Amino acid sequence: MRIKIILLIILFTGIVSCKKTNNYKVLYLGHTLPQTHPVHKGILEFKKSLEKKSNGTLKVKIFPDGQLGSERETLELLQIGSVAATKVSAAILSNFVPEYNVLGIPYLFRNKVHQFSVLEGAIGKSILEKGSKFWLRGLCYYDAGSRSFYTSKKAIRTPEDLNGLKIRVQNNQMAINMVNSMGGAATPLAYGELYAAIQQGVVDGAENNPPSFVSSNHYEISKYYTLDEHSSVPDVLLIGTKYWNKLSKQERIWVQEAADESAQAEKIFWKESVDQSLKTIKDWGVEVIIPEKSLFAEKSKNVVINFVKKFPEMGKLVKEIKNN
């Protein structure tokens, strides 16, 4: 029903994926993040760079704050060609491209340098291209940080502290398996319902990166934040193939170059946001815990083993990433 309402809005406001006006085209880009978010700032860099490279012949109109719907709904708009581009979590894309699932494996990357060496190299580019058969062409990855646990009543210092706790996760099997493997009770729940769920004790906590922990105001009702950094799922800037296929060769080059440049700028915005978010958390009185990550990594090993058993073709990709 909601997607029908969005389509009606698009119809009556004249929004189409690529509106050609006089001597320029307008690229419509929708996403769910607030305008203060570092990823939105990265998208602004994409707009700035593309308009400059094309000398104004390609313009970008951004619709933030979920104006065009949820991540799933915006993806559907890309697929039918009503919107040109969007930004979503790689976890959402795993519903279309199985390889994106691999990026959610706990402790897959050794550090940030290793992560982006993989994502910006041949492996990452190959995964981006695989979405084209679903009309969702990946342009670049944005840093979305590392997800860590936060709880309202009990501190998480070791995996054993998770025993019996209901932890909200995204509706993604990898995330569910990971929390369960560590002893927690994974509880998929809509993000918009999470504040009240923690406040009312429906769940005992959740997991996310520092900027999201702050922007959601979850730090107001969570006493503990444990920087175990169990997964580093990136965001992905996507362009619909229905729009991409209408571009000239030169226009495609401009779009890709602008995306790559925005990804580098977004990394800086992200680091600044993490630093500021951790300060905000501490100033509010939340206890920030630095645990022994190896304990959490050891507990989650079976998640990787079982994943590779279920999807043998992914085993090679996991090995390539770890050996990169």
Side-chain angles (χ1 to χ4, degrees), residues 199-252:
Q199 194 173 43
Q200 296 167 12
V202 175
V203 294
D204 300 298
E207 44 92 51
N208 216 323
N209 55 65
S212 296
F213 183 47
V214 171
S215 66
S216 63
N217 295 322
H218 292 168
Y219 67 97
E220 298 175 350
I221 51 174
S222 301
K223 295 181 180 179
Y224 309 99
Y225 190 70
T226 303
L227 288 173
D228 63 296
E229 300 182 321
H230 46 257
S231 64
S232 301
V233 182
D235 280 343
V236 183
L237 181 64
L238 298 158
I239 190 164
T241 57
K242 291 195 175 182
Y243 172 75
W244 179 261
N245 292 338
K246 294 177 182 178
L247 297 177
S248 68
K249 183 178 179 180
Q250 182 59 65
E251 288 172 332
R252 292 179 184 181

Side-chain angles (χ1 to χ4, degrees), residues 46-100:
F46 170 70
K47 167 184 168 68
K48 178 181 175 182
S49 178
L50 181 57
E51 292 181 354
K52 182 178 179 181
K53 287 178 183 295
S54 67
N55 197 28
T57 59
L58 288 176
K59 295 184 180 296
V60 181
K61 174 67 175 175
I62 303 170
F63 295 84
D65 296 305
Q67 293 178 39
L68 301 185
S70 66
E71 288 193 331
R72 181 71 189 223
E73 289 166 337
T74 310
L75 286 176
E76 291 173 2
L77 293 176
L78 256 70
Q79 289 178 312
I80 63 176
S82 295
V83 174
T86 190
K87 185 290 309 173
V88 300
S89 169
I92 300 297
L93 289 171
S94 65
N95 295 311
F96 299 92
V97 181
E99 284 81 0
Y100 279 111

Side-chain angles (χ1 to χ4, degrees), residues 142-187:
Y142 286 144
D143 193 350
S146 297
R147 301 178 76 90
S148 293
F149 292 114
Y150 53 90
T151 47
S152 57
K153 297 176 181 178
K154 178 183 177 182
I156 306 301
R157 303 183 192 281
T158 68
E160 285 69 32
D161 292 326
L162 282 163
N163 289 340
L165 296 186
K166 291 176 288 184
I167 303 296
R168 181 268 176 184
V169 295
Q170 294 174 296
N171 190 15
N172 172 270
Q173 197 59 49
M174 185 70 73
I176 293 169
N177 293 344
M178 180 201 64
V179 169
N180 289 341
S181 74
M182 293 182 183
T187 308

